[in-house]
Amino acid sequence: MTIRHLKIFVEVCRANSITKAAENLNMAQPAVSNAIKELEVFYNVKLFERMNRRIYITSAGEILLNYANNILLQFTEIRQVIQDSAPSPIRIGCNVTFSENYLPDIISGFVELHPDIPLYIKTQNSKQIEEELLLNNLDFAIIDNPDTHAKIKSHLIQKENIIPVCSEKYFQKYFSYAPKSDTTATCSISDFSHLPILVREPGSGLRHIVDNTFYSYHVSSVIAAESISNHSLINLCLSGAGILFLSEKLAKELLANTPLISLNIKECQLTRTYYLIYHQNKYLTSYMKDFIHYFKICHKATL
């Protein structure tokens, strides 16, 4: 058994397919199949059940996957630990909203204090970033609503309100009363039933909050558009296509510069929480500790 075997096995588990794993690893499918067979012979167990052209991991496979992930994590970090005096970039994943609204100021401050520490930033939705962290493709992640995963350490760093906004044209069409002011109106959560809304893609933290809020209040809205791009959704909102849910910082900027109306929901306030997360078995170099310390200073986080 070699590190190569474990890497192949972990990728097959992640892709849930030998064919897809072979494509991702740029290998021939028979080579991937042979590596799995060699592991099964080595441990004298079946790692996957094969039914109807699909594979299902066995209980023995689950045990090996847990160990393989930890071994690969430590193996990858050996070089980083040895080369701590000449740092590799700290790899930071961040969800879209935090990346757009808060990360630039944080990173510029960190670079000013630690110009010798290189950084690599990757922006995706919260679900994708968390998956990248578990695969050790990232050192840290900043997301909201992290899964309660036993291998992840999470620390609250920031909270903010979520503000629904719509155009004046949209408000006049769907609401029977006048707004409280030119920029603000009060509404009920029930008003959102069957109304067109504009939302981020599934997997994003903001989408998770909106879906859970509507579900808890038994509200059925109509998704008029979903996108990975906040800019695209803002333009649709300005055109009167639907209600858009935005971070408070971005909403305030738009309300000050565009003809949008913010909606105050009487029954509830949507709130978003951001967390700094990393793998519990992560070896923290001195540079990574500097990064965590900087977050303590910036956000007074309980790290």
Side-chain angles (χ1 to χ4, degrees):
M1 183 192 69
T2 64
I3 291 294
R4 173 180 173 274
H5 285 89
L6 295 181
K7 287 182 177 179
I8 292 171
F9 170 70
V10 168
E11 183 58 31
V12 170
C13 293
R14 191 188 71 81
N16 201 30
S17 164
I18 289 177
T19 302
K20 289 181 180 177
E23 292 175 358
N24 295 341
L25 294 168
N26 197 26
M27 295 175 61
Q29 183 175 330
V32 174
S33 297
N34 287 337
I36 297 300
K37 288 178 182 177
E38 288 169 0
L39 277 173
E40 290 180 327
V41 169
F42 183 84
Y43 289 110
N44 194 28
V45 295
K46 290 195 72 173
L47 299 174
F48 298 98
E49 296 286 353
R50 297 159 178 83
M51 295 182 290
N52 299 323
R53 297 184 178 181
R54 295 188 62 184
I55 60 172
Y56 300 88
I57 193 167
T58 63
S59 57
E62 293 279 5
I63 294 171
L64 179 60
L65 179 60
N66 184 52
Y67 279 100
N69 279 326
N70 288 331
I71 291 170
L72 292 176
L73 177 65
Q74 294 172 358
F75 182 81
T76 302
E77 290 177 350
I78 288 174
R79 184 174 61 182
Q80 190 170 15
V81 174
I82 293 173
Q83 297 177 342
D84 199 10
S85 59
S88 299
I90 297 177
R91 303 165 301 169
I92 307 158
C94 187
N95 67 24
V96 176
T97 300
F98 196 93
S99 179
E100 290 179 346
N101 295 328
Y102 304 108
L103 192 62
D105 289 340
I106 294 172
I107 293 305
S108 64
F110 182 79
V111 169
E112 186 175 346
L113 286 173
H114 303 281
D116 57 323
I117 302 178
L119 301 176
Y120 167 78
I121 313 296
K122 187 169 188 176
T123 300
Q124 289 179 304
N125 70 39
S126 291
K127 182 175 176 59
Q128 292 168 326
I129 287 295
E130 190 166 6
E131 289 174 353
E132 290 285 306
L133 184 83
L134 288 171
L135 291 171
N136 197 37
N137 294 328
L138 295 169
D139 301 312
F140 299 100
I142 303 166
I143 63 172
D144 48 2
N145 299 307
D147 288 340
T148 54
H149 199 292
K151 296 179 181 178
I152 286 180
K153 285 189 175 182
S154 63
H155 304 283
L156 177 65
I157 58 172
Q158 189 165 326
K159 292 183 179 181
E160 69 172 350
N161 292 329
I162 302 300
I163 308 297
V165 299
C166 67
S167 68
E168 294 177 359
K169 184 165 119 179
Y170 181 96
F171 188 88
Q172 291 168 1
K173 179 177 179 180
Y174 289 102
F175 293 86
S176 59
Y177 48 88
K180 186 176 180 181
S181 69
D182 291 339
T183 59
T184 306
T186 299
C187 65
S188 172
I189 190 71
S190 61
D191 291 335
F192 288 83
S193 290
H194 310 298
L195 286 181
I197 64 170
L198 312 171
V199 290
R200 286 286 307 282
E201 80 286 1
S204 78
L206 190 53
R207 174 66 176 272
H208 177 79
I209 294 167
V210 173
D211 286 348
N212 279 2
T213 300
F214 283 177
Y215 178 80
S216 63
Y217 282 92
H218 308 289
V219 170
S220 298
S221 58
V222 177
I223 296 177
E226 60 181 12
S227 174
I228 62 172
S229 167
N230 283 333
H231 182 71
S232 172
L233 293 173
I234 289 168
N235 285 336
L236 286 169
C237 183
L238 287 168
S239 72
I243 296 173
L244 176 59
F245 294 82
L246 295 171
S247 67
E248 186 172 15
K249 180 179 179 182
L250 182 54
K252 285 182 176 180
E253 292 174 359
L254 287 172
L255 290 167
N257 297 290
T258 61
L260 289 177
I261 296 173
S262 67
L263 302 174
N264 296 325
I265 306 173
K266 290 185 292 187
E267 294 87 348
C268 63
Q269 173 64 66
L270 280 69
T271 303
R272 191 171 192 180
T273 53
Y274 296 101
Y275 294 84
L276 176 70
I277 67 173
Y278 53 95
H279 199 288
Q280 69 171 5
N281 294 330
K282 185 75 181 174
Y283 174 81
L284 297 176
T285 66
S286 61
Y287 308 103
M288 293 178 186
K289 290 176 182 177
D290 287 337
F291 181 75
I292 295 175
H293 178 70
Y294 182 75
F295 262 87
K296 287 183 181 181
I297 300 300
C298 284
H299 295 281
K300 298 180 181 178
T302 54
L303 298 182

